[in-house]
Amino acid sequence: MLWAGRMRLGTFGILLMLVHTSAACEFGPFPYSVTGIVCRMTKPAALLLNQETAQVIQAAFRNAKFPNITGERSMRLLGRVAYGLSNIQVNDLSIEQSEVELKENDAIHIAIQNVTAFFRGTLTYGYAGAWFLQLFHSVDFEIESSIDLQINIKLLCQKDQVAADASDCYLTFHKLTLHLQGDKEPGWLKQLFTDFISFTLKLVLKSEVCNEINFLAHVLASFVHDLAADFVQDEDISVDISLASTPLIKANYLESHHKGLVLYKNYSDVFSDSVFSPSLLTESRMLYFWLSEHILNSLALAAFLDKRLVLTIRGEKLQALFEAEDTEAQRKAVQMIFQGTSYNNSVAKVWSLAHPQISLQPEGTVVKSLVAVEVSIFPPGEQPLMVLYMEKEITVTIEAAYVEKKLILHPLDSRIEFKVFKCTADSSGNDPSIRNFLQTMISVVGIPEVISRIEPALTSLMNSKGLHLFEIRNPEIITQKGYIIVQLDFSFPNHLLLDFLEKRL
């Protein structure tokens, strides 16, 4: 059985070597040029996540499949003594301390001190005496152990995504005490089997626990990748987060670079002009996300192609738009446009004629879009009538913030240029009162109304991906020319990892 355990360890080593071989992702000579998204996690975040290490280690001990341990030895007077330990499992486990250190260009070093574990199982032994007397016994046993654990986790690229290799794993035993049936057996028997099995038991525990830790590291890396991939996908629109370069480990942060190409049906995104540089991010916050302007433009195009940039307004909402200001000019314009028809029998449709162009600037996110507006009335007993149609080019600068788990979009300024204007109340197009009223209504009420619809929709979308589960502190959304940076501190939702481990086990 010991030989089988060693064969299993050797097989795992071969599989790991194959993983390393397949992990050799190929990147071009200038990987930053195709970087659309960057994630930087600084050491304070790594220290916070290290507090959750205990859950992973406990899962590794509980889930390790310990093989039966067998052995034999010739003893003077007693003859040949054979033993077997079976049904080995962990009952109690506690961890005193865990520390993490980032070794630059090497690995994430985790040192776990004083892991106290109690293993229980069944010991079966038999011996043939010098006078051909054969005795066989089976007793329950408990092994009390105190272990230090050293793990060096390397970040690799495997199948274009981040993979974790925790095969560099060491267990140091400070205590390994065998108890047989509550110490009812003679002391010499306890001492005999402690000496017999100590070395073999240490080897098996190290092999199985380290194998399970390495496996869980791979699973957790895949879990994080799948979580991120799901976060940037909504129905047919998704973002390719495959790696653009090898993950970095620095003394104060971990960093991964992703392509960030938008995927939508037959639409194929291309990007090779990134302005990213590591110097654009600092190390003062726990978590950073860097996004290229190209991503936002591509997402706007995908939303346009998916016919999502359409808004219908009727009833009280429509009334609130056209009666935002109670002035004589407003009342006159509304009467001319709606011809006395109730708002409940009217509808306004707003949609983009072309995909919006997004430009990131220090003052905010500049959105330029060609928009059409159509207002129709449904007089009782008559055919529907389109009373207003206009096309206008709108340029608006938006400042974004995330407050109390809600996305806030604040329009700073806007410019409106009419391209097409048709109104049944002004067939000649020479009456400036209606056009002036509509321009004021669009800039003062219309744009904020559209943004107020976008805010909850995007907040709901992010919350459906689990963002609300995190306690995000002091988030900042900073726009610069060509890119945007989101930086924040956070608290990790304990149940997220725990729920995942329970499903995994």
Side-chain angles (χ1 to χ4, degrees), residues 33 153 170 192 309 320:
S33 66
I153 303 175
Y170 300 92
L192 173 66
L309 304 182

Side-chain angles (χ1 to χ4, degrees), residues 231 402 405 458-469:
F231 190 84
Y402 189 75
K405 301 187 178 184
L458 291 178
T459 298
S460 177
L461 176 61
M462 292 188 295
N463 287 344
S464 70
K465 307 299 184 178
L467 185 63
H468 64 292
L469 300 176

Side-chain angles (χ1 to χ4, degrees), residues 59-250:
F61 273 84
R62 288 196 310 268
N63 201 48
K65 305 301 181 184
F66 300 105
N68 295 339
I69 301 173
T70 60
E72 63 178 44
R73 185 174 179 180
S74 296
M75 298 292 295
R76 185 178 302 176
L77 301 179
L78 292 177
R80 183 174 55 85
V81 178
Y83 64 88
L85 280 74
S86 58
N87 304 320
I88 303 175
Q89 56 185 316
V90 179
N91 278 35
D92 299 301
L93 185 140
S94 63
I95 296 175
E96 182 176 299
Q97 185 179 359
S98 178
E99 298 176 353
V100 63
E101 179 185 359
L102 304 181
K103 294 184 177 181
E104 186 155 349
N105 299 323
D106 185 15
I108 307 167
H109 177 70
I110 299 178
I112 303 172
Q113 287 83 35
N114 291 336
V115 179
T116 301
F118 289 86
F119 300 88
R120 289 185 172 88
T122 302
L123 169 64
T124 302
Y125 64 94
Y127 49 90
W131 298 278
F132 304 102
L133 176 64
Q134 293 186 353
L135 297 175
F136 297 93
H137 296 277
S138 180
V139 297
D140 293 333
F141 71 84
E142 179 181 81
I143 299 170
E144 181 182 358
S145 66
S146 178
I147 307 168
D148 284 351
L149 187 59
Q150 305 285 334
I151 310 169
N152 292 304
I153 303 175
K154 295 183 181 294
L155 298 181
L156 311 170
C157 176
Q158 181 182 354
K159 296 181 180 178
D160 290 329
Q161 70 182 55
V162 178
D165 173 20
S167 59
D168 190 0
C169 169
Y170 300 92
L171 270 65
T172 302
F173 289 83
H174 299 294
K175 180 180 182 181
L176 193 68
T177 305
L178 176 67
H179 301 281
L180 301 177
Q181 286 190 337
D183 285 339
K184 294 180 180 180
E185 293 293 326
W188 67 267
L189 182 61
K190 174 182 171 182
Q191 183 62 45
L192 173 66
F193 285 108
T194 298
D195 292 341
F196 274 12
I197 68 176
S198 179
F199 174 77
T200 305
L201 184 61
K202 289 178 181 179
L203 181 64
V204 170
L205 293 181
K206 176 188 182 303
S207 170
E208 299 305 322
V209 171
C210 285
N211 284 355
E212 186 64 22
I213 289 174
N214 193 24
F215 176 73
L216 282 177
H218 282 285
V219 171
L220 285 171
S222 297
F223 167 68
V224 172
H225 177 273
D226 294 344
L227 197 67
D230 179 66
F231 190 84
V232 292
Q233 179 174 2
D234 182 53
E235 296 181 2
D236 291 331
I237 301 175
S238 63
V239 178
D240 177 11
I241 59 171
S242 58
L243 286 176
S245 61
T246 303
L248 295 179
I249 299 179
K250 297 295 185 180

Side-chain angles (χ1 to χ4, degrees), residues 232-241 260-270 294-309 355:
V232 292
Q233 179 174 2
D234 182 53
E235 296 181 2
D236 291 331
I237 301 175
S238 63
V239 178
D240 177 11
I241 59 171
L261 300 176
V262 172
L263 308 173
Y264 173 73
K265 293 183 178 179
N266 295 327
Y267 170 69
S268 180
D269 199 6
V270 179
H294 176 84
I295 291 180
L296 299 184
N297 264 315
S298 298
L299 286 173
L301 174 57
F304 170 75
L305 295 175
D306 204 42
K307 296 180 170 47
R308 299 192 184 195
L309 304 182
H355 85 271

